[in-house]
Structures are given as structure tokens and as C-alpha cells.
Amino acid sequence: MKTRPGICNRKRRFATREAAEAVALAADVPLRAYKCALCKAFHLTSRTKGLRRPRPAPGS
């Protein structure tokens, strides 16, 4: 996902993925953290399109 500069400037920045995920867990909607290619910090998004889901473990 490419974040446009205008979007990046409006989003909250987190120094670590852990900090972003802590805020995501407390949110009312499902959010995930991602590293921004522009500012190199972490942002939150609710988008899941194109998100790869982990495969189930063999034998599960």
C-alpha cells in the first residue's frame, strides 16, 4: 500500500509497531499497523484488501 503525502501528514505516527498495535487493540474497529514508506514511522489502517492471511497449520 502506498500512502500519499497528504494522507501521511494527517495520520498519527508511531515510533514502533508495538505502540501502534497497542492503540489498534483499544480501538472500536479492527485496525492493523503498517510501516509508511514516506515517513518510516508506523500508521494504522482499517483496510484489509490484499492482506495475506496466514495459512492454517498442517493437521489443524
Side-chain angles (χ1 to χ4, degrees):
M1 164 186 334
K2 276 193 163 185
T3 304
R4 294 186 313 254
I7 301 296
C8 177
N9 289 334
R10 288 192 300 257
K11 287 192 170 193
R12 185 171 170 191
R13 291 184 174 106
F14 299 92
T16 64
R17 181 177 299 276
E18 291 77 19
E21 289 175 349
V23 172
L25 287 174
D28 295 335
V29 296
L31 297 173
R32 67 179 182 87
Y34 71 95
K35 188 164 188 175
C36 179
L38 294 174
C39 69
K40 308 298 187 221
F42 291 90
H43 297 302
L44 295 174
T45 185
S46 60
R47 293 193 63 177
T48 58
K49 184 177 180 181
L51 179 64
R52 292 184 183 168
R53 305 239 165 116
R55 291 184 181 188
S60 294

